[in-house]
Amino acid sequence: QVQLVESGGGLVQPGGSLRLSCAASGSIFSINLMDWYRQAPGKQRELVATIATGGSTNYADSVKGRFTISRDNAKNTMYLQMNSLKPEDTAVYYCSAVMRTFERATATRYWGQGTQVTVSS
């Protein structure tokens, strides 16, 4: 069984910064894509940023230039550095990863439970 656990959310003023972490644990054989999604109240979940095993990244237009996704493959951990935060960034942020485990060879997408980010003065 595998787990994805997010941390680092909280309340921050507009213009501030937060750093989210996502740690994968369990019987992991390999991790391919890792992503951050977010879901604001009353809205659909949206993709924020993606990072491949080799480090290539993609971002939603709304966060380009403000957010940076990174990963530490040795620690099975992913990060999201969020700068210049805006009230519209308020959402529950979820990490997700496509992984193979020792029990399940087929690449499967797993999700964390989410961490709340609130940007407000």
Side-chain angles (χ1 to χ4, degrees):
Q1 188 168 350
V2 296
Q3 267 192 315
L4 292 172
V5 179
E6 302 99 335
S7 60
L11 173 65
V12 63
Q13 292 187 341
S17 299
L18 280 176
R19 189 192 194 209
L20 305 183
S21 299
C22 172
S25 63
S27 57
I28 299 168
F29 178 75
S30 66
I31 303 177
N32 190 357
L33 286 174
M34 300 187 81
D35 317 279
W36 287 100
Y37 285 77
R38 68 185 180 186
Q39 187 166 20
K43 294 187 177 181
Q44 289 189 331
R45 189 172 298 188
E46 63 172 349
L47 178 62
V48 176
T50 296
I51 185 165
T53 306
S56 61
T57 59
N58 280 292
Y59 297 90
D61 288 342
S62 59
V63 307
K64 279 181 182 176
R66 301 188 297 122
F67 290 11
T68 302
I69 189 172
S70 61
R71 63 192 283 176
D72 184 334
N73 292 329
K75 296 181 179 179
N76 289 338
T77 301
M78 172 177 65
Y79 307 95
L80 185 68
Q81 178 65 44
M82 304 186 294
N83 299 328
S84 302
L85 282 161
K86 305 174 181 180
E88 50 264 43
D89 295 317
T90 296
V92 177
Y93 283 70
Y94 298 90
C95 73
S96 182
V98 177
M99 298 188 283
R100 288 181 171 86
T101 70
F102 289 102
E103 291 81 19
R104 185 182 176 89
T106 302
T108 303
R109 179 171 288 280
Y110 295 85
W111 293 89
Q113 291 299 307
T115 185
Q116 177 70 45
V117 171
T118 302
V119 184
S120 175
S121 55

